Amino acid sequence: MNIKNVTIIGGGVLGSQIAYQTAYAGFNVTVWLRSEASIERAKPKFARLHQVYLAELTAAKADPTKPVSRGLVFNETDPAKFNLDQKLANAEAAFQNLKYELDLGQALADADLVIEALAENPQQKIEFYEKAAPLLPEKTIIATNSSTLLPSQLAASTGRPEKFLALHFANSIWRGNTAEVMGHAQTDQAAFDKVVAFAEAIGMIPLKVLKEQPGYILNSLLVPFLSAAEQLWTDEVADVETIDKTWKLATGAPAGPFAILDVVGLTTAYNICMNYPDAAEPGSLHNRIATKLKEYIDAGKTGINAGEGFYSYK
């Protein structure tokens, strides 16, 4: 595979999870952030993740009958093979050894793999790739964690379309440990295969997407579901709690759409909404949804990592 040094671009909800899980798997991880303020915003996310990993591993050590998230034990099914002491040591090492970097050149200098986890804004991503392209070593593979954008929309701006593809993770990466790998027409098979192997090496279950699809597999299913819930809420058909209760009672699901949106992050939901063609039209469905989401975002209620979104986590 020859991937050892991994640089994560962005320390948001998923960027922080990808970085921590990759470090937990023993890779050298650098997180590139735009400013000291961005670093200070990212650190509590990593501290929270660290406590989540420690708490679950410690509980499993105290009671071997407790289930353990697949990503924490790399899909091992035999509790006798978990070696929880080693996993706890890995979690501590991951937290202590994460490197934060403001200088993009330094962050990319020896990267074997770069995973871009910026906001779901195509122009922002393109601007980053154009800035990064002349700084990347020849060996580096680039992957976007975009939720909905196609790699072919971004490939030319990377300067190395043959080494560019999408690697999309689900939220709560240690529990929902899927990694969708999707190339585009110019992606080399060798780069694709290396990213599949990397995903497996960090405890994920690689899911090969055979052709470009907006939203991959997971979000092709999830985004319409969440959008339907947002429409019911925006049109005042029912309130947040009732919509979530309806879904949970009727399907047996552990969480409703608005609890899921809190995990996804309302900023991500807003950015996805703003990518719809009608989002700028006053009174249109996506304009109305975006306006309501923006009210929460402006109030600091951006989801579980902020301590409050549609629900309070304080």
Side-chain angles (χ1 to χ4, degrees):
M1 179 178 61
N2 300 324
I3 292 175
K4 182 180 179 181
N5 303 317
V6 182
T7 297
I8 311 300
I9 305 300
V13 174
L14 262 172
S16 58
Q17 292 180 31
I18 298 165
Y20 188 95
Q21 180 71 22
T22 302
Y24 178 70
F27 290 80
N28 301 323
V29 177
T30 298
V31 184
W32 178 76
L33 296 152
R34 296 180 188 278
S35 65
E36 290 288 353
S38 297
I39 291 176
E40 293 309 309
R41 286 193 296 271
K43 284 182 176 179
K45 297 185 182 74
F46 286 110
R48 174 182 169 274
L49 287 169
H50 186 50
Q51 292 307 312
V52 167
Y53 279 54
L54 291 181
E56 185 168 335
L57 291 168
T58 301
K61 184 178 177 182
D63 181 358
T65 66
K66 281 188 175 292
V68 184
S69 294
R70 295 187 306 268
L72 296 186
V73 293
F74 290 44
N75 301 302
E76 176 59 63
T77 57
D78 183 357
K81 298 179 180 179
F82 285 176
N83 193 348
L84 293 172
D85 286 329
Q86 183 60 59
K87 297 299 183 186
L88 283 163
N90 291 352
E92 193 61 43
F95 186 59
Q96 296 298 329
N97 295 334
L98 281 167
K99 181 181 177 183
Y100 304 99
E101 182 60 70
L102 297 176
D103 186 302
L104 184 58
Q106 287 296 319
L108 301 177
D110 196 28
D112 299 305
L113 174 65
V114 171
I115 302 175
E116 172 266 304
L118 296 172
E120 197 70 352
N121 180 313
Q123 190 55 43
Q124 185 181 127
K125 290 178 185 291
I126 287 169
E127 288 173 0
F128 164 75
Y129 289 133
E130 290 175 344
K131 184 177 180 181
L135 304 174
L136 288 163
E138 191 279 332
K139 65 177 180 176
T140 308
I141 297 170
I142 312 174
T144 179
N145 182 56
S146 171
S147 301
T148 56
L149 301 173
L150 297 176
S152 58
Q153 294 175 260
L154 308 168
S157 62
T158 69
R160 56 185 65 206
E162 74 285 356
K163 292 181 180 177
F164 178 69
L165 69 168
L167 176 61
H168 180 254
F169 297 87
N171 260 294
S172 300
I173 189 173
W174 63 96
R175 189 164 54 235
N177 63 327
T178 60
E180 296 173 284
V181 185
M182 182 172 74
H184 59 101
Q186 294 176 271
T187 303
D188 280 352
Q189 188 63 44
F192 187 94
D193 292 343
K194 283 183 180 181
V195 172
V196 169
F198 166 77
E200 192 166 17
I202 64 169
M204 300 296 103
I205 298 173
L207 302 172
K208 298 179 184 180
V209 184
L210 303 180
K211 60 188 292 187
E212 282 196 305
Q213 164 65 29
Y216 314 75
I217 302 167
L218 177 59
N219 281 329
S220 290
L221 299 168
L222 180 62
V223 170
F225 166 62
L226 297 179
S227 295
E230 290 169 333
Q231 181 173 355
L232 290 170
W233 168 57
T234 299
D235 288 344
E236 300 181 345
V237 174
D239 60 26
V240 163
E241 291 80 4
T242 302
I243 296 167
D244 274 8
K245 184 190 295 183
T246 301
W247 183 254
K248 290 164 65 179
L249 290 175
T251 67
F258 290 96
I260 293 171
L261 282 164
D262 276 352
V263 174
V264 170
L266 272 65
T267 302
T268 296
Y270 172 82
N271 287 332
I272 290 172
C273 194
M274 290 301 294
N275 285 333
Y276 284 90
D278 69 339
E281 300 173 15
S284 70
L285 173 61
H286 291 104
N287 180 268
R288 289 184 289 116
I289 292 173
T291 298
K292 292 196 73 168
L293 289 171
K294 190 68 162 53
E295 291 173 1
Y296 278 74
I297 294 167
D298 288 345
K301 300 177 181 181
T302 57
I304 193 168
N305 277 309
E308 189 171 4
F310 290 105
Y311 298 97
S312 176
Y313 303 91
K314 297 175 180 177

